[in-house]
Amino acid sequence: MKTLTLTRPDDWHLHVRTGTILKTVLPYTARQFARAVIMPNLKPPVTTVDQALAYRDEIRAAVPKGLDFTPLMTLYLTAATTEAEIKKASESEIIHAFKLYPAGATTHSDSGVADIVAAYLLFGAMEKHQIPLLIHGEVTDADCDIFDRERLFIDRYLGDIIKHFPDLRVVLEHVTTAEAVQFVESAGNNVAATITPQHLLYNRNALFAGGIRPHHYCLPVLKREQHRLALVSAATSGNPKFFLGTDSAPHIIETKENACGCAGCFSAPVALELYAEAFESVDALDKLEGFASFYGADFYRLPRNSGTITLKKSSWDVPSSYGENGVSIAPLKANEFMSWKAQYFDSH
């Protein structure tokens, strides 16, 4: 296969930051994706509809002229979130979900939920008002092995959440383990999951190949090969519970390559190419369109996109960094060879 044409896809999990970094990274997403679910973990976090409206305006101003891109906004769930705000969000055309970060689980999660059970009243309001809950599914206990954090969250909390709120639509974000895949597969149709390119392509050895590899450090952290294979199997299965969410998370090189590097992989400039590589590795390119373009839209009850984007079999080298004017961000596959290249999208 030399070309692959897809209905224009969406990214159901994306970080774009704000200010100069936003202006630097957003065009890469807008060139490939029609829509993206925007994560709300800024400093301070986006916790109200009014804040999300302002953030949306900033994002839209950063979209290059001639590109059609829609940010799908989310709100950051905190202990101070009210049912009134949940109702207001559900009535807003721009808010598409609430995001649950266990406090301390990842970048800018300090304002997250410290007591999951105490948030049940909020989950009930979200179920009542039919707005999805997006979950960063990790426990944050200091004595917990970092490679077990997702599995333990599922065991301790996720099953009970689904049991108590059977009509709540839940997305388990950036799943990384065979246990997470099994949970989503066995749950009802109200439970889905996003899968990132890094978790499809790499196992935890990639963190230490020839030395510490900070640009492969993300949260949830990369896992064993058996888990990567489970994710590839889920993504390429045609099961509509699993769909594309890059979790592209830009950090300037200086904050990644230091004594305490931050978590996050920047994949936006090469996102579709990375997924194509993963799907091609198991001879499943025919399953990429559903995963990238259909299943997420269906779960979020949004129309599927019109227009297309074409990937061409073409050898090229990924740049060492992207950005200018003092912003330099290293992408996944920096200075490495890739065999697919996104060519264009046709809005007609």
Side-chain angles (χ1 to χ4, degrees):
M1 182 180 292
K2 294 185 178 180
T3 62
L4 178 65
T5 298
L6 309 173
T7 300
R8 197 169 178 216
D10 302 303
D11 185 347
W12 298 100
H13 186 127
L14 179 68
H15 301 268
V16 292
R17 314 306 185 199
T18 188
T20 303
I21 292 181
L22 166 63
K23 294 175 183 177
T24 299
V25 304
L26 186 69
Y28 298 113
T29 291
R31 289 174 189 139
Q32 293 197 350
F33 298 98
R35 299 171 294 203
V37 170
I38 306 297
M39 293 296 107
N41 60 329
L42 303 182
K43 280 196 169 183
V46 180
T47 59
T48 69
V49 174
D50 291 342
Q51 290 171 343
L53 283 166
Y55 187 27
R56 179 174 178 261
D57 288 344
E58 183 183 7
I59 293 169
R60 293 176 69 186
V63 177
K65 291 182 179 180
L67 292 183
D68 180 19
F69 173 78
T70 301
L72 306 174
M73 308 308 294
T74 64
L75 298 185
Y76 191 120
L77 196 72
T78 76
T81 300
T82 65
E83 181 171 352
E85 196 67 35
I86 292 172
K87 182 175 185 294
K88 183 177 180 180
S90 72
E91 294 170 347
S92 167
E93 294 183 354
I94 73 151
I95 306 298
H96 294 270
F98 276 81
K99 180 64 182 281
L100 168 62
Y101 290 102
T106 189
T107 303
H108 298 171
S109 62
D110 297 344
S111 300
V113 174
D115 185 343
I116 301 296
V117 175
Y120 272 26
L121 288 175
L122 302 178
F123 300 160
M126 294 173 61
E127 181 183 46
K128 174 183 175 182
H129 295 290
Q130 299 184 31
I131 188 164
L133 173 65
L134 316 182
I135 298 178
H136 181 116
E138 292 191 285
V139 301
T140 57
D141 308 39
D143 60 350
C144 175
D145 189 303
I146 192 170
F147 295 102
D148 292 333
R149 286 172 32 159
E150 181 176 275
R151 177 181 60 82
L152 290 176
F153 184 91
I154 293 169
D155 290 346
R156 293 179 186 177
Y157 301 113
L158 193 56
D160 284 341
I161 291 171
I162 302 305
K163 178 181 177 180
H164 282 87
F165 308 99
D167 295 322
L168 176 64
R169 281 183 290 153
V170 172
V171 179
L172 186 57
E173 300 278 28
H174 42 50
V175 291
T176 66
T177 61
E179 290 86 353
V181 168
Q182 293 163 5
F183 182 92
V184 172
E185 287 175 338
S186 63
N189 291 332
N190 61 313
V191 179
T194 55
I195 305 179
T196 76
Q198 63 264 28
H199 292 108
L200 290 175
L201 290 170
Y202 302 115
N203 62 36
R204 65 186 188 178
N205 289 339
L207 290 164
F208 310 107
I212 299 294
R213 298 286 183 169
H215 298 288
H216 287 154
Y217 172 52
C218 58
L219 290 172
V221 71
L222 300 172
K223 302 298 195 300
R224 291 180 180 272
E225 177 68 1
Q226 69 197 60
H227 297 294
R228 187 191 72 82
L229 293 174
L231 297 176
V232 171
S233 179
T236 61
S237 66
N239 186 334
K241 287 170 162 284
F242 300 97
F243 42 83
L244 184 156
T246 65
D247 194 20
S248 181
H251 297 280
I252 61 173
I253 290 175
E254 289 78 6
T255 63
K256 290 287 287 181
E257 299 176 2
N258 64 37
C260 188
C262 51
C265 296
F266 180 49
S267 59
V270 290
L272 283 179
E273 292 92 338
L274 293 168
Y275 282 110
E277 180 178 313
F279 276 63
E280 186 181 38
S281 71
V282 291
D283 195 25
L285 283 171
D286 60 313
K287 297 295 198 307
L288 181 56
E289 185 174 42
F291 176 83
S293 308
F294 298 153
Y295 304 151
D298 295 347
F299 185 86
Y300 276 86
R301 302 175 183 173
L302 294 171
R304 294 178 177 183
N305 296 317
S306 58
T308 59
I309 188 167
T310 296
L311 290 156
K312 183 178 179 181
K313 196 78 171 179
S314 177
S315 301
W316 64 291
D317 293 319
V318 179
S320 60
S321 65
Y322 289 88
E324 55 188 17
N325 299 323
V327 174
S328 183
I329 305 169
L332 277 180
K333 293 276 190 178
N335 297 314
E336 293 184 38
F337 163 85
M338 293 203 72
S339 59
W340 288 95
K341 182 68 174 175
Q343 299 296 302
Y344 61 88
F345 79 91
D346 179 358
S347 61
H348 303 292

